[in-house]
Amino acid sequence: MISTLLIAAAAATTPIPNDYSLAQNWLCRPGRRDACTVNTDTTAIAADGTIAFRKSTTPRDSKADCFYVYPTLSYDEGGNSDMVANDEERRVIETQFARFGETCRTFAPIYRSVTVSALRALLIGKPIPADRELNYTDVRDAWRHYLATDSQGRPFVLIGHSQGSGLLKRLVAEEIEGKPTQKLMLSAMLAGTNVLVARGEDLGGDFKTTPLCRKSDQTGCVLAWVTFREASPPPANARFGRTDVADREVACTNPAKLSGGSVPLQAVLPKQSIGADMAVAPTAWTSDQKPITTGHVSLPGLYSGQCVSSDGANYLAVRLSEGLPNGRVLDPGGDLKFGPMIAKDWGLHLLDVNIVQQDMVDLIGIQLSAWEKTKR
């Protein structure tokens, strides 16, 4: 009798796996109107404040797939989110992922993520219960469903940020490396998480057979970067860019120039803030307060960046160019803030994807062309 009760109690507390054959469990899938079919037209603002309109295009026949896992963003109460997409999930798709529809079919599962509530509780030393295995098994199950029903041997790119990148890092190690699927991977773009490699090497840490991407036409490889202002490098207590694991270092690959060196970054930013703690979305994007009618803004020539190794940290160091008088905004922000205080240990974590978004989109096209040549 006691054992029966224990089994019943365990069954009652074990989360039920999601059924990813149900359309409601996806934010984005091809062939339907959903979170990814939003307008991603962009207003480009030059240094002198003049503006130009860039219309987004979606190809009729994308030859690659993009599988995206979003970061920590749910404001649901409790340690894990539910499976109902709220405004924050839809907004991050528009901000970080929908633009990739220019180059690939888009897949984005809903998963029971660790919430902002859990993160904030942890930061103040009063953690609340959160199932940190549930988020991974959801993503894994969604991936397995994609492979079984949608892949059909198509090349793919994994795209993640923060919590999402951490989950994809594990997915590559457990579900892709050493399996036939590995030959289909163009790249895994893991923004905003520490990917470890052997010191001075492109392997030997989190991955056994998946190297870092070092050339734009290289496939089957990983991009990983964490972003800090050049003038504000990772402090000793930085959450990203540093590791205390012996003989390991945090990987850095700049999507805008995988071979290294400083280069302009093709940032695409949201016109409006994507989070309560984010300083993006200045009062005016230009000194004469020109109206911006698109949901996205690009700022050609404002940002440049390169991967830097300094004082034991590896990171994408971002520099802002000097502005022109009466031109565009000099600094759109992007720092994580707690009240008026900038959290320097986070760097520009909230901009990890947006700071190089168009570079990422362009790179997928190059990788796809390279992959197709190997199949001829």
Side-chain angles (χ1 to χ4, degrees):
M1 180 66 177
I2 294 177
S3 61
T4 302
L5 291 174
L6 290 175
I7 292 172
T13 58
T14 300
I16 298 173
N18 287 320
D19 182 356
Y20 283 100
S21 68
L22 299 177
Q24 68 199 42
N25 289 335
W26 295 84
L27 283 158
C28 299
R29 283 186 58 82
R32 68 180 197 180
R33 294 193 63 81
D34 56 26
C36 277
T37 54
V38 295
N39 187 306
T40 56
D41 295 343
T42 304
T43 299
I45 308 177
D48 64 1
T50 58
I51 63 176
F53 181 77
R54 176 188 181 276
K55 186 171 180 58
S56 179
T57 59
T58 302
R60 291 184 178 181
D61 183 24
S62 300
K63 296 182 179 180
D65 294 339
C66 288
F67 186 94
Y68 167 76
V69 183
Y70 50 81
T72 306
L73 50 77
S74 174
Y75 288 102
D76 289 348
E77 295 181 2
N80 292 84
S81 68
D82 58 27
M83 287 295 293
V84 177
N86 297 321
D87 182 59
E88 55 264 33
E89 283 91 356
R90 291 188 293 269
R91 191 167 61 239
V92 80
I93 290 290
E94 180 179 1
T95 300
Q96 287 193 346
F97 186 55
R99 179 173 302 279
F100 287 88
E102 295 181 4
T103 192
C104 55
R105 296 195 308 175
T106 51
F107 294 83
I110 304 173
Y111 71 103
R112 286 168 285 192
S113 62
V114 175
T115 62
V116 172
S117 302
L119 175 61
R120 287 176 170 169
L122 183 64
L123 292 176
I124 64 174
K126 297 180 180 180
I128 61 176
D131 188 337
R132 296 181 180 273
E133 186 69 12
L134 181 62
N135 55 356
Y136 174 71
T137 55
D138 279 355
V139 170
R140 181 204 62 198
D141 291 349
W143 171 251
R144 289 177 177 176
H145 176 82
Y146 159 78
L147 284 183
T149 62
D150 298 292
S151 171
Q152 299 178 341
R154 293 165 58 90
F156 65 86
V157 178
L158 302 177
I159 301 170
H161 182 226
S162 195
Q163 179 179 177
S165 288
L167 299 175
L168 287 175
K169 178 172 67 172
R170 181 176 170 185
L171 187 82
V172 171
E174 297 184 3
E175 298 286 317
I176 295 176
E177 282 198 320
K179 296 178 172 59
T181 307
Q182 188 170 8
K183 296 179 180 179
L184 302 176
M185 190 173 80
L186 300 181
S187 62
M189 299 183 171
L190 308 182
T193 196
N194 286 343
V195 172
L196 301 188
V197 292
R199 194 174 302 279
E201 304 291 339
D202 290 344
L203 276 172
D206 289 319
F207 304 118
K208 295 179 180 179
T209 60
T210 309
L212 300 180
C213 298
R214 293 303 186 188
K215 299 186 299 180
S216 59
D217 60 355
Q218 183 181 356
T219 61
C221 53
V222 169
L223 287 82
W225 67 98
V226 297
T227 313
F228 285 79
R229 294 178 182 270
E230 183 182 68
S232 185
N237 66 335
R239 297 178 180 277
F240 307 100
R242 297 184 180 277
T243 180
D244 56 5
V245 179
D247 300 321
R248 297 288 185 268
E249 64 183 9
V250 175
C252 184
T253 56
N254 180 0
K257 190 177 181 183
L258 295 171
S259 59
S262 182
V263 66
L265 306 178
Q266 297 185 75
V268 181
L269 305 180
K271 182 181 73 172
Q272 296 180 332
S273 177
I274 62 171
D277 298 322
M278 191 172 179
V280 161
T283 303
W285 287 95
T286 63
S287 60
D288 57 0
Q289 300 188 38
K290 289 185 177 73
I292 306 300
T293 59
T294 62
H296 300 80
V297 172
S298 66
L299 304 163
L302 178 63
Y303 297 108
S304 61
Q306 63 180 324
C307 284
V308 168
S309 296
S310 177
D311 190 29
N314 294 336
Y315 57 99
L316 179 62
V318 172
R319 172 185 293 185
L320 276 71
S321 64
E322 293 186 8
L324 298 176
N326 302 316
R328 69 185 174 197
V329 62
L330 300 179
D331 185 351
D335 305 283
L336 185 70
K337 290 186 174 183
F338 297 103
M341 183 182 71
I342 293 177
K344 293 188 176 181
D345 53 325
W346 288 78
L348 288 176
H349 182 65
L350 294 169
L351 288 185
D352 286 319
V353 172
N354 294 96
I355 203 81
V356 288
Q357 188 176 84
Q358 193 60 47
D359 296 298
M360 296 167 69
V361 172
D362 293 346
L363 180 60
I364 291 173
I366 297 171
Q367 291 179 326
L368 175 61
S369 295
W371 184 87
E372 289 181 320
K373 288 179 182 178
T374 67
K375 303 303 173 184
R376 293 173 184 170

